[in-house]
Amino acid sequence: MGLPKTCACAVLLVLSALEPCALNTDVAAILLASPKDALVLMEKDHYFGFGPAPVQERLSCMARNNSIYVVANIGDKKLCDSSDPSCPKDGRYQYNTDVVFDAQGKLVARYHKYNLFRSETQFDYPKEPEAVTFETPFGKFGIFTCFDILFYEPAVVLVNKMQVDTVLFPTAWMNVLPFLTAIEFHSAWAMGMGVNLLSANTHNTTSAMTGSGLFTPEGPAAYHYDSATEEGCLLLAELSAHPRLSPTYPPAVNWSLHATSIEKLPGENNTFSGTVRKDIFTFRELRHKDGNCTVCQGDLCCHLVYQMSNKRRDEVYVLGAFDGLHGSLIKYHWQICTLLKCPSTNLSTCGQPVETAQTKFDMFSLSGTFGTSYVFPEVLYSGVQLAPGEFEVLRNGRLKSKHGTSKPLITATLFGRLYGKDQPHPLRISL
């Protein structure tokens, strides 16, 4: 599908380095037709030979011939020798790399992925994190890749210190319920950080990889999630090139203000433990159609006010809290408050993945005594769908529904990251 020649464009083209031959990729494009900014996302299949020169030449020509910006994820090889004590035995470093070509076809930025996922053994860790940005006529852009989004460097640095307007995010993201499906967390990150995030995910349902979107500080402008087919989809939305200057830009949030003002409620010891992917949560069952409840773990207390449209006998919801290190090899600190549907009425299943629900809520208000300013608000409906425009975050840290939920609820979650409590990376210590 061609792009309108009358528009100035930027294209985010994702070529997954995890599958060097047959690549299922998403393409995201920014179409900037004055005076408003339009963004497009489509999923499509591509085939490219895995060689640095042909790929870069093709990308450069693609950008120049169409007067567009092109951002691609490829592999990068850097030769080294015995003068470098860390040089691999084969005499070269291999990096998971993003490259950016401007509308003249010039290479204007290159980024080496800093936080490798556990399966990326074909790649080397860069010795230092890179905060890569580039200026365009339509704002300041930053870029990082996939697993990077969960860590302070470079993701938070790009937003807080480099003050980017928009982040380009090539990813091969495996969906993990209940808190880390692609559209769910990526939308929440854009809201929590206050920037645009253009997320282009590999579409590979066999590996549970699907879900791309154009996310803003106000919520998802457009997104696509399809775990049933390999079909692509084109998304179009209007975004602000400079979201911090927008009159609708969300105010700063004190994430613990409301929750710290609440006295502990009687009966809060009526809790049980449950596991969410090896993390031990403290849960409390919501036994009534409506009510107030609190659950605590460690330094985190989570408070919920709720009212269900109807209390079903065949569905169970819980309020959950987690304050601790997540991960088996790479350990990083989470603080999570969650209103969560259980897969069955058996409480031992609470925390296990569930994709469908029947219960709607007339209202909910969730808050927590978070020890961090980095909190990402998530609301996920039945069928793994987002809830654009149906919830808000107040200045006092409450995640609340604006009205009743339009669809049955899987989870409403406040996902906090305490970057300062992360353990040293075990694979980087020797670098």
Side-chain angles (χ1 to χ4, degrees):
M1 179 176 179
L3 297 171
K5 295 182 178 180
T6 57
C7 298
C9 308
V11 176
L12 169 60
L13 174 62
V14 182
L15 310 180
S16 171
L18 301 178
E19 299 177 78
C21 294
L23 302 178
N24 296 316
T25 71
D26 289 358
V27 180
I30 309 172
L31 303 179
L32 296 155
S34 181
K36 294 184 177 180
D37 307 333
L39 292 106
V40 178
L41 178 93
M42 71 177 178
E43 295 183 271
K44 195 173 180 66
D45 291 341
H46 291 272
Y47 180 92
F48 288 98
F50 192 71
V55 169
Q56 293 187 39
E57 180 180 357
R58 182 169 182 175
L59 294 171
S60 176
C61 292
M62 185 186 303
R64 183 188 61 198
N65 293 342
N66 295 282
S67 298
I68 59 176
Y69 281 73
V70 174
V71 183
N73 178 261
I74 62 176
D76 185 20
K77 178 176 66 175
K78 296 296 182 186
L79 299 179
C80 58
D81 56 35
S82 58
S83 64
D84 179 357
S86 300
C87 183
K89 293 181 179 179
D90 60 1
R92 66 184 188 184
Y93 291 104
Q94 294 186 166
Y95 298 113
N96 183 330
T97 304
D98 299 326
V99 291
V100 182
F101 296 89
D102 69 8
Q104 287 74 47
K106 297 178 182 178
L107 179 67
V108 294
R110 183 196 64 199
Y111 168 70
H112 292 149
K113 185 180 179 185
Y114 188 60
N115 299 283
L116 298 178
F117 195 60
R118 58 178 177 265
S119 60
E120 293 184 90
T121 55
Q122 74 272 39
F123 291 123
D124 297 297
Y125 284 92
K127 295 180 180 180
E128 298 292 338
E130 303 169 351
V132 175
T133 66
F134 60 99
E135 296 281 355
T136 75
F138 35 88
K140 185 176 183 179
F141 282 71
I143 188 164
F144 53 78
T145 311
C146 206
F147 201 40
D148 283 326
I149 200 171
L150 287 166
F151 299 92
Y152 185 82
E153 292 184 298
V156 177
V157 171
L158 284 174
V159 178
N160 286 0
K161 297 183 180 181
M162 309 303 289
Q163 292 287 294
V164 298
D165 299 302
T166 300
V167 172
L168 300 177
F169 183 61
T171 183
W173 191 279
M174 181 177 64
N175 290 300
V176 180
L177 286 162
F179 312 127
L180 287 174
T181 65
I183 58 173
E184 174 188 25
F185 185 73
H186 302 161
S187 178
W189 191 89
M191 293 184 71
M193 296 303 299
V195 294
N196 299 324
L197 179 74
L198 278 63
S199 171
N201 191 15
T202 295
H203 191 75
N204 185 338
T205 59
T206 303
S207 300
M209 294 177 179
T210 184
S212 302
L214 311 172
F215 305 117
T216 78
E218 291 84 15
Y223 73 94
H224 176 67
Y225 179 92
D226 176 16
S227 61
T229 75
E230 299 297 336
E231 296 297 321
C233 181
L234 174 67
L235 302 176
L236 174 67
E238 294 184 356
L239 275 72
S240 171
H242 304 281
R244 292 180 182 86
L245 303 180
S246 170
T248 60
Y249 190 70
V253 177
N254 183 333
W255 287 103
S256 63
L257 183 60
H258 179 72
T260 53
S261 68
I262 299 173
E263 295 183 5
K264 292 184 178 181
L265 300 174
E268 66 182 33
N269 292 327
N270 188 16
T271 61
F272 64 97
S273 295
T275 303
V276 181
R277 294 186 64 85
K278 299 182 180 180
D279 295 329
I280 306 300
F281 277 63
T282 301
F283 288 131
R284 182 181 177 188
E285 182 184 359
L286 307 185
R287 295 181 176 179
H288 305 290
K289 182 180 177 181
D290 55 62
N292 297 359
C293 60
T294 300
V295 65
C296 300
Q297 185 182 106
D299 295 328
L300 179 66
C301 284
C302 304
H303 181 70
L304 174 70
V305 182
Y306 72 96
Q307 181 175 337
M308 300 178 188
S309 300
N310 182 43
K311 181 69 172 76
R312 298 175 60 97
R313 292 185 177 181
D314 60 346
E315 289 196 328
V316 169
Y317 284 81
V318 293
L319 174 64
F322 177 74
D323 182 12
L325 290 170
H326 169 82
S328 55
L329 177 62
I330 305 169
K331 297 183 182 295
Y332 42 113
H333 200 110
W334 291 0
Q335 282 189 330
I336 293 177
C337 291
T338 182
L339 163 58
L340 181 64
K341 180 185 181 291
C342 301
S344 74
T345 56
N346 184 342
L347 296 183
S348 66
T349 65
C350 293
Q352 296 177 15
V354 57
E355 293 190 6
T356 60
Q358 299 294 324
T359 301
K360 296 181 180 180
F361 282 72
D362 291 334
M363 67 82 60
F364 64 81
S365 173
L366 180 67
S367 60
T369 58
F370 290 95
T372 177
S373 59
Y374 300 106
V375 180
F376 311 112
E378 304 178 340
V379 175
L380 195 65
Y381 283 164
S382 182
V384 192
Q385 296 298 310
L386 300 182
E390 296 194 20
F391 66 92
E392 60 185 335
V393 175
L394 303 185
R395 294 188 182 193
N396 63 4
R398 293 167 59 200
L399 168 62
K400 66 181 293 292
S401 55
K402 290 183 177 179
H403 308 286
T405 62
S406 63
K407 298 177 182 178
L409 184 70
I410 293 179
T411 182
T413 298
L414 290 171
F415 189 113
R417 278 288 283 118
L418 278 70
Y419 301 108
K421 290 189 174 182
D422 291 357
Q423 290 193 356
H425 196 300
L427 301 179
R428 280 207 206 98
I429 295 175
S430 59
L431 294 180

